[in-house]
Structures are given as structure tokens and as C-alpha cells.
Amino acid sequence: MPYTILLFRIKSKCFILFLLFNSLNLFAFQTSYDSLLTKEYSYLKKMVSKHVRDSSKASIYIQSHLFKAKKDVDTTEIVNGFYYYSGITKDEKIKEKYLDSMILFSKNLKTKHYPALAYYRKGKIEYNKGNFKNALDLYLKTNEKAKEFENTHLFYASKKSIGILKSRIGEHKAALTELKECHQYYSKLKKGKPINYLGTLFALADSYNLNKKLDSATTMNILGYKESIAFKKEDFKYYFTLNEGINLFDKKNFTTARDSLSIAIEEFKINDDRANLSMAYFFYGKTLTALGKEKEAIAAHIKVDEIFEEISEIMPNNRENYEILINYYKKLDDKDNQLKYIQQLITVDSVLHTNYRYLMKAVVQNYDTPRLLSEKQEIIDSLETGKKTSYTIISILAIASLLLFVLWLINRRRQKQYKQRFEELYYKQDAHKKEENQTVSHKEKTKLAIPEESIKEVLNKLAIFENELGFIQPDLSINFLAKRFGTNSKYLSKIINTYKKKSFNQYINDLRINQSIIKLKEDAKFRNYTIKAIAQEIGFNTTDAFSKAFYKQNGIHPSYFIKELEKQIKAV
């Protein structure tokens, strides 16, 4: 066969294949979707599992699963579809909607998995959000249904969660009983479910400590540390290191406790587990105090407060952190810091009252009431020593009351100012505009001693720089920007000072702050970032620099703005 004919035939075949390929691409989804409806549920489930890391592919099979289930009026498979969707989505709010759909469709089912699994998954969401009462109610429903329909795994999973919650609200003895039973169950399954097993060990070790069974706690911590390595879940070992550090503190082995807590702190800094980092810093501070290193201890206690500022979550035991700080600054006669941490303690008590109502009752009975009775008795005793002493005490109490009232008024006024500043900022439209060039007089232009064309060129480049969000680049310097604009830093600095009426650093910071406000208003996901993550996202190197710049421009802190913004959006 001649080469030219062969080549022609090859090209013809290639062209036909090309058309076929593109036709297949064009109708791939529709054809695939139609063909998937003929598949068994077991096949669709298998394909979802296969593509679980690729949500776009997995969604095709889940969508087919749900469509088929609705067509078949199969409630159990409808619930399965929502369950698969909840497993592949990374967005917590969307995940929660799927779980709500699971509960809605499964509440009348009577199967081994439903509605127990729906309640359990929603309970985990509520727990992670800090809604512990809602979580407990859901775990109790899970436990009831799992027991009724003999789902042993869900029964013990919910039982473990209930035990942990009981521990958090102060029912330590009841929690220990629950967790011991769970440990017996998961010990038999540790090869197949090492994460569940290690999580139970961690909770049990913590419960032993809270029940003052310190030797038992040590035994669990050592076992947990070894098992973490054996099952190649080495991240877990640092949680047992933290637990044992706290345990060693309670045993008064302060030097060893310090070493364990230091290791845990460094690890939690890396994996960004803020809640456990806060706990580690709290006990690290107490340990340093016991070792006579007060200044280092106070630095650790301040870290606990900084973390609370970021995540608004604190364990009941860590309430003492603020009493330590208040007493320290009271001793130094540092009224500013004393007032700051008194206000923080009020905020902490509000959070604890919401999430740990039962435990707060015990705190009041066991700590606040005896202390107040003691102070009352001291005043009565002092009154009996003579009128002079009584008048002095009455005067001191009156002054103290007046001072507290004044402080309350100041704080109330400050809160009103913050609220007003927030509202001004919320309704302000300027934050959405780029930096405007200020009017410049002929005299100022002459004083610049820069050619008019050069000025216009630089201003145009600044406008492009602002529109393209070039200012969010970290470590931005005037030298770098001048080089990028093809001018010198002296010219650029003068033009910014004259036309923007700001220094270079203030100009960049204002652009970044304005951009953060825009994103916070418009992007719900961005509002869930930590203050540190927000700062880095818009170009600041540190949280402190961002907070100071935000406060300087707007008169309120970013954390306050985000909190009020969430309230405003929910109210709309």
C-alpha cells in the first residue's frame, strides 16, 4: 500500500476518533448520570468511597444515589445519600445542613444505623461548636436508639462522648464509670479502630486525674504513649505527654512536669491545637510558679488569655488563670492590667456560665461563697475592735464601691463608644473604595520638585497597585515598591506623603485594614478565621501589628468588630 494512502487512512481514523472523543466528552456527564441510575446502591456507595478525596467525582455518584433513592421512595437510602454528602464536604455549615436533613428524614426509621447515626454526627458538630448542652442531648438520643436497635459501636461511641461531656461539666465520678466501660470495649477493637481506642485512653487518663487517682492516670498515660507509637499515630503521644505533665504537677514533681508541658507546648504550636495549647500554658505557668519563676509563669498565664481572645473557649479549671493575673498585678499596684484582667474574668465567667452552668454552681459553692463569708467575718471582727476601725472600713468600702461604680461607668461608656464605632464602620461605604488622591495645591506641587509626568505615572501605578491588591504582599517595603514602579524611593515617599497625606507604612496599613473589612463583611468563611490567620491573609506579619493598625484606624479591635458583625448579619 502506498505511503500517501496509508497516511490518509491513518489521518481519517484519527479525525473520526477525535470527533468521537469530543462527543463523548460533551455528553459524558448526561450519559454517565443516566447509566448510574441503573446501578445498585452498593455499587454507588463503593464508588463514593473510591473517590472520597475528590469531592467533584464523588458528588456525581452521590447525586445519582439520592435521585435513585427519591425515585424509589427509599427513605433509608435517601438518608445514606445525605450522609455521604456530609462526609465529603469541607464546609462545616453545609455539612450541618446535610446532617439536619439526615435527622429530618431518619427520625421515624427503625434500623441499626438510623436515626442513631444522624444524632451522633450532629452531636459531634454541636460539641465542636461549643454547644455542649445540645451535644449532650443528641448523644443521649444516639445512645437510646443505638441500644434499642443493638448498634454496639454507636452505643459505645455515644457513651464515650457522654463521659467526656460529664467530665467537662464537673461530674467526674460518673464520667470515670462511663469511660472505664468504653475502654474495655475499645481495647478489644484497638487493631481495627486505633483512633477510637487512643481517644478513649486519653479521656480515661484525664478522668483519672480529675478524680485524683494520679497513679492510675500515670499508668494510662504511659500505655497511651506506647500505643500511639505502636499504632503509628505519633501525633497522639503528645496528648498523653500533656496529660502526664498535668498529672506530675498534681504529684508535685514540678521539674519533670515542666519538661513534659514544654514538649506538649511546642507540639501544639506546630499543629495549632489552640484549646490544648491553652491548657498546657496554664499548667506550665502554675509549675513555674511552684519552681519560683514568677515572671516566666506570668508570661505563660498571659498566653492563656491571648488564646482565649482568639478562640473564645476556656476550660472551667483555667478560670483560675485570671485570678492569678489579677493578684499579680494587684501586688505590683498596676491598676491598668488589674482592671484589664478583671474585665477578662467577667467575660470568662459569662462563657463558662453558658457552657458549664452545672460546674459554675460548684465553683460558686466551693470557692466564691466561702471566700465572701470569710471576708464578711473579717469585717465583723474588725468592727468589734472599735469605732475608729469601723469608720475606716466603712470609708474604704464606700470608696471601693464608688471606684467600682466609676469603673463600671467607664466600661459602659467605652462599650457604647465601641458600639457606635462599629455601626459607623459597618455602614461606612468608604472602606469599599480605593485610596483617593487628595487635592494638592500648586505650592505643594512646586515644593515636591518632581516632574509632573513622573507624578502622574507614579499615581497611575499606585491606582493599579491598589486595584490589584498588591498591598497584601507581606514584608512590603518602599524600596521594593519604588523599584517595581521604576522610580526611586525618595520620589515615591514624597508623592505618597503629598497626595495620600500619609506615610508609606500608614498608607499600606490602611489599605490592608480596608481590605480586611471588605472581606469580613462579604466572606462568611473569612470571618471564621483566627485573628492570626486574618492578619497573615492581608499581609501583616504578626497578630499584634494587625490589631494595633485596625484599632488605630477604627477605634475598635478586630475581634470586637467580627463578633458584632456576626450579630448584625444574623439579625438581618
Side-chain angles (χ1 to χ4, degrees):
M1 184 183 295
Y3 176 75
T4 51
I5 297 173
L6 178 63
L7 184 62
F8 174 77
R9 289 186 179 179
I10 290 171
K11 285 183 176 180
S12 298
K13 288 179 180 178
C14 288
F15 181 69
I16 291 166
L17 287 170
F18 173 77
L19 287 175
L20 180 61
F21 178 78
N22 279 280
S23 299
L24 286 171
N25 272 342
L26 185 63
F27 299 105
F29 178 78
Q30 185 63 47
T31 306
S32 173
Y33 184 70
D34 291 341
S35 65
L36 287 175
L37 295 179
T38 65
K39 300 292 185 182
E40 296 293 329
Y41 291 115
S42 57
Y43 170 84
L44 295 171
K45 178 183 177 182
K46 181 181 176 182
M47 296 309 292
V48 171
S49 299
K50 182 179 178 181
H51 298 291
V52 72
R53 296 184 183 277
D54 187 340
S55 58
S56 60
K57 287 184 179 178
S59 293
I60 295 170
Y61 295 101
I62 299 172
Q63 190 177 357
S64 301
H65 186 112
L66 266 174
F67 188 87
K68 179 180 171 69
K70 287 176 181 178
K71 188 179 176 183
D72 294 345
V73 196
D74 190 329
T75 307
T76 301
E77 291 302 339
I78 290 172
V79 177
N80 277 335
F82 288 123
Y83 174 65
Y84 301 150
Y85 264 132
S86 74
I88 67 166
T89 183
K90 298 293 188 293
D91 189 310
E92 289 299 317
K93 289 185 178 179
I94 294 174
K95 184 191 292 285
E96 192 170 357
K97 287 180 181 178
Y98 287 133
L99 292 174
D100 287 336
S101 297
M102 281 180 69
I103 290 173
L104 179 66
F105 279 90
S106 70
K107 62 184 179 182
N108 294 322
L109 290 177
K110 295 180 179 180
T111 71
K112 184 176 182 178
H113 295 292
Y114 299 122
L117 182 59
Y119 290 138
Y120 179 69
R121 292 295 296 270
K122 183 64 186 292
K124 288 178 73 175
I125 291 281
E126 292 295 325
Y127 181 91
N128 291 334
K129 286 164 60 180
N131 298 333
F132 300 127
K133 189 175 187 306
N134 291 348
L136 182 59
D137 290 341
L138 287 159
Y139 288 142
L140 288 170
K141 286 180 181 179
T142 305
N143 202 254
E144 177 189 347
K145 294 297 180 182
K147 185 176 181 180
E148 183 181 350
F149 297 105
E150 298 181 349
N151 189 326
T152 309
H153 178 63
L154 269 180
F155 175 78
Y156 279 101
S158 59
K159 193 177 185 69
K160 182 181 81 170
S161 299
I162 291 167
I164 292 169
L165 274 171
K166 281 185 177 180
S167 189
R168 292 192 80 146
I169 62 174
E171 297 182 17
H172 300 313
K173 287 185 179 179
L176 183 59
T177 301
E178 303 274 10
L179 292 168
K180 278 182 178 178
E181 291 178 18
C182 293
H183 176 246
Q184 287 178 353
Y185 172 74
Y186 284 114
S187 292
K188 299 170 186 174
L189 306 172
K190 61 183 180 180
K191 289 183 180 179
K193 298 183 181 295
I195 297 292
N196 291 0
Y197 167 66
L198 292 170
T200 307
L201 267 182
F202 176 71
L204 182 58
D206 182 53
S207 186
Y208 273 128
N209 175 269
L210 292 170
N211 281 280
K212 303 304 175 188
K213 298 179 182 291
L214 304 184
D215 289 336
S216 296
T218 295
T219 301
M220 289 296 108
N221 285 325
I222 292 170
L223 175 62
Y225 191 93
K226 289 179 179 177
E227 295 280 57
S228 299
I229 296 169
F231 287 112
K232 297 181 180 179
K233 305 291 180 186
E234 300 215 9
D235 286 349
F236 253 102
K237 70 183 183 184
Y238 296 103
Y239 291 91
F240 293 105
T241 302
L242 167 63
N243 256 356
E244 189 55 19
I246 296 169
N247 209 45
L248 287 165
F249 170 82
D250 288 336
K251 287 182 174 183
K252 303 189 186 307
N253 295 341
F254 300 122
T255 303
T256 316
R258 179 192 61 192
D259 295 339
S260 293
L261 292 166
S262 296
I263 292 168
I265 285 170
E266 291 308 312
E267 175 59 24
F268 295 143
K269 280 182 186 176
I270 294 168
N271 69 19
D272 202 33
D273 185 339
R274 312 299 286 168
N276 278 301
L277 181 60
S278 172
M279 182 65 75
Y281 269 127
F282 172 67
F283 279 98
Y284 187 64
K286 293 189 73 174
T287 302
L288 290 173
T289 298
L291 291 170
K293 298 184 177 183
E294 188 177 36
K295 285 188 178 179
E296 291 177 45
I298 292 300
H301 289 301
I302 289 171
K303 287 285 187 185
V304 175
D305 177 59
E306 289 174 356
I307 293 169
F308 175 71
E309 279 283 293
E310 287 183 29
I311 65 174
S312 298
E313 183 182 347
I314 193 164
M315 292 291 285
N317 292 346
N318 286 17
R319 181 185 187 275
E320 183 190 352
N321 189 76
Y322 290 91
E323 293 179 351
I324 291 168
L325 290 169
I326 291 165
N327 290 332
Y328 175 76
Y329 286 111
K330 184 177 181 180
K331 187 172 65 176
L332 296 179
D333 198 27
D334 184 341
K335 290 183 173 57
D336 288 338
N337 275 312
Q338 198 178 339
L339 179 59
K340 173 185 174 181
Y341 291 114
I342 286 172
Q343 182 58 44
Q344 283 293 79
L345 180 54
I346 292 168
T347 305
V348 166
D349 280 348
S350 174
V351 171
L352 291 177
H353 180 72
T354 302
N355 290 334
Y356 304 96
R357 191 167 301 182
Y358 305 111
L359 186 58
M360 284 303 298
K361 181 180 177 183
V363 169
V364 170
Q365 289 177 346
N366 300 330
Y367 177 76
D368 289 334
T369 302
R371 182 183 63 183
L372 291 172
L373 289 172
S374 175
E375 289 175 359
K376 178 182 174 182
Q377 188 59 47
E378 286 175 11
I379 292 170
I380 292 170
D381 292 343
S382 67
L383 285 171
E384 291 174 354
T385 62
K387 287 184 179 180
K388 186 177 178 180
T389 306
S390 67
Y391 288 143
T392 304
I393 290 171
I394 291 168
S395 299
I396 291 169
L397 289 173
I399 292 167
S401 299
L402 181 62
L403 177 62
L404 287 171
F405 180 70
V406 170
L407 290 173
W408 178 79
L409 284 176
I410 291 170
N411 183 60
R412 188 181 177 190
R413 183 181 176 188
R414 185 181 296 167
Q415 290 302 316
K416 281 185 177 180
Q417 286 177 339
Y418 283 175
K419 186 70 176 175
Q420 184 180 350
R421 288 169 186 169
F422 165 77
E423 288 175 355
E424 288 171 0
L425 189 56
Y426 180 76
Y427 293 107
K428 186 178 178 184
Q429 298 302 315
D430 293 351
H432 290 265
K433 298 177 182 178
K434 66 179 182 179
E435 283 282 323
E436 298 287 343
N437 294 330
Q438 303 292 325
T439 304
V440 178
S441 67
H442 179 72
K443 186 178 178 181
E444 287 176 303
K445 289 181 181 179
T446 306
K447 195 175 179 181
L448 271 177
I450 301 173
E452 185 73 17
E453 288 302 315
S454 296
I455 293 171
K456 285 182 180 178
E457 186 181 348
V458 169
L459 288 174
N460 285 335
K461 287 180 177 178
L462 282 173
I464 293 168
F465 168 74
E466 291 168 17
N467 287 333
E468 293 180 349
L469 307 183
F471 49 82
I472 67 173
Q473 179 180 335
D475 300 319
L476 195 62
S477 69
I478 194 164
N479 289 329
F480 173 83
L481 200 57
K483 188 175 179 182
R484 178 177 162 184
F485 285 2
T487 186
N488 62 62
S489 58
K490 204 171 194 181
Y491 274 19
L492 181 58
S493 178
K494 283 183 177 182
I495 291 168
I496 289 172
N497 291 343
T498 304
Y499 283 82
K500 304 294 183 181
K501 306 297 183 187
K502 300 172 183 177
S503 68
F504 174 80
N505 286 337
Q506 187 184 349
Y507 166 66
I508 295 298
N509 283 350
D510 285 354
L511 285 170
R512 288 170 174 173
I513 296 303
N514 287 342
Q515 180 61 19
S516 74
I517 293 167
I518 292 169
K519 286 203 73 176
L520 288 168
K521 284 182 178 181
E522 297 175 354
D523 189 347
K525 188 176 180 182
F526 192 66
R527 289 194 293 275
N528 289 324
Y529 284 14
T530 63
I531 299 298
K532 182 179 179 182
I534 291 170
Q536 291 175 343
E537 186 82 4
I538 60 169
F540 286 94
N541 287 324
T542 67
T543 307
D544 189 52
F546 168 58
S547 294
K548 284 180 179 176
F550 195 102
Y551 187 88
K552 183 179 179 181
Q553 186 188 105
N554 304 304
I556 55 176
H557 293 288
S559 56
Y560 179 85
F561 177 73
I562 294 167
K563 182 173 72 175
E564 291 300 315
L565 185 59
E566 287 286 358
K567 288 181 187 176
Q568 192 77 21
I569 290 167
K570 286 177 182 176
V572 174

